[in-house]
Structure formats: structure tokens, C-alpha cells
Amino acid sequence: MESMRSVPFAFGKATVHWMDLYVGFGLAVSVSGFFSSMVAWCLSNATVEEIALARAITWLLCATQVASIVLSLRYFGVVQAGFSVVSSAALAWSAVRLNAANEITA
């Protein structure tokens, strides 16, 4: 970790350290997961006409977060993967909830 903090290099027009990239990408993955969960939460209140589209978008966001779990475990760490786990669970729950709402209205 100390080496990641102490070795600077040029990245575009800025001078950064490897730790900057590690933390930055990890935070980006976390923010993406949080955003996906919030979008799915909003979609869970879709009208009857919007349910099919909302469910498809929610499952796609869930699949993205499942991929983020794998990538986070490989490249970032358990903390970032944990955010993706929580996000994918929330997305799956929302998609299932949308499916139940569709069955009730059908």
C-alpha cells in the first residue's frame, strides 16, 4: 500500500499515484451501484403501462451489478464488491416486485 501511495506518474495532465486510481475506480464502482439501486427503486413504482419496460431495465441493471461483483472482487476488493452485492440484491428484489405487480394487474 505504501508503494501505491509513493510512486507518482503522469496521468493525462495530472500527476497521480496508483492509490489515487485504486480509490477512484473503487468509488466509481460504488457510486454506480448506488445509482443503479436508486433507479430501480424509482422503477418499482412504475404505472401498469410501464411495468414491462421497468422490469427489463431493472434486470439489466441487476446483471450489470452482478458483473461488478466479479470485477470488484478481482480488481478492487471486498468493500466495493459488497456495495455491488447489496445493489444487485436490491435490483433483483425490485424486479421481482415489478413481476408481482404485473401479475396482480394482469
Side-chain angles (χ1 to χ4, degrees):
M1 296 295 270
E2 188 55 39
S3 295
M4 289 178 72
R5 289 184 181 102
S6 64
V7 178
F9 64 95
F11 189 73
K13 294 184 179 185
T15 300
V16 297
H17 298 84
W18 285 109
M19 185 57 103
D20 298 330
L21 294 178
Y22 179 83
V23 171
F25 285 125
L27 290 173
V29 167
S30 300
V31 168
S32 173
F34 180 75
F35 176 76
S36 295
S37 296
M38 293 300 101
V39 168
W41 192 268
C42 292
L43 291 173
S44 70
N45 295 316
T47 64
V48 174
E49 296 82 21
E50 302 167 332
I51 286 178
L53 178 61
R55 187 175 56 244
I57 291 170
T58 303
W59 279 121
L60 289 171
L61 290 170
C62 184
T64 301
Q65 289 307 310
V66 170
S68 290
I69 294 168
V70 174
L71 293 171
S72 293
L73 287 173
R74 171 70 174 95
Y75 294 105
F76 300 122
V78 177
V79 173
Q80 288 80 7
F83 280 105
S84 293
V85 167
V86 171
S87 295
S88 61
L91 288 160
W93 178 78
S94 295
V96 168
R97 184 172 170 220
L98 283 168
N99 193 42
N102 190 41
E103 290 174 3
I104 291 171
T105 59

